[in-house]
Amino acid sequence: MIWLILLILALGTALALIGPLTSSNKKPVLILLLMGGVIASSLGLYALLGTPSPPPPQPQATTQMPDINAMVEGLAERLKSDPDNPQGWARLIRSRIVLGDMDALIRDHKAMSAHYADQPNIIAEINRQSGFDEFTASLAE
């Protein structure tokens, strides 16, 4: 459809430009061929280039921020050795959400839930503080 519109516009422009030139008896066939060449080369260049491709996908956040990843992994290691730290668990889970590391998020949330299995109020508070509840709600939408 776009080709048809471009062709009609190009022919209309060519005829509008050729009209005054052909009335002066200056080789109208040569002028017509020149205008046809310009139109054909313009359309050919458009066909050759085509539409732009989308930008390449951005690398994951985990490869862009090695220092932050090291800090998050350090927090995870500290919580393995001393798991009785609700604020630390909330920070760790929030960090996993922000970094988009779903495998580690699931693993850490399971570890936290197992540690506080007999204290559901602490699990609920960690989920609220970390943004885990909002994150899971956004996935359900």
Side-chain angles (χ1 to χ4, degrees), residues 24-109:
S24 65
N25 296 327
K26 290 185 178 180
K27 302 181 184 176
V29 175
L30 181 62
I31 295 171
L32 185 61
L33 287 175
L34 180 64
M35 291 302 291
V38 169
I39 292 170
S41 64
S42 298
L43 292 176
L45 184 61
Y46 181 78
L48 178 69
L49 296 177
T51 57
S53 60
Q58 296 294 323
Q60 279 189 325
T62 56
T63 60
Q64 293 178 345
M65 302 176 281
D67 293 338
I68 293 173
N69 290 330
M71 290 185 338
V72 171
E73 291 303 323
L75 177 58
E77 289 300 317
R78 284 192 305 273
L79 287 171
K80 281 182 185 177
S81 62
D82 182 22
D84 198 22
N85 182 355
Q87 291 81 18
W89 284 109
R91 271 195 312 272
L92 178 63
I93 291 172
R94 183 176 37 247
S95 299
R96 299 293 192 196
I97 291 170
V98 169
L99 291 174
D101 191 355
M102 294 303 117
D103 294 333
L105 171 65
I106 293 167
R107 181 188 65 236
D108 293 336
H109 193 272

Side-chain angles (χ1 to χ4, degrees), residues 10 20 23 36 42 44 52 65 76 81 93 107 110 112 114 117 122 130 135:
S23 64
S42 298
M65 302 176 281
S81 62
I93 291 172
R107 181 188 65 236
K110 283 182 180 180
M112 179 272 301
I122 293 180
S130 66
F135 176 70

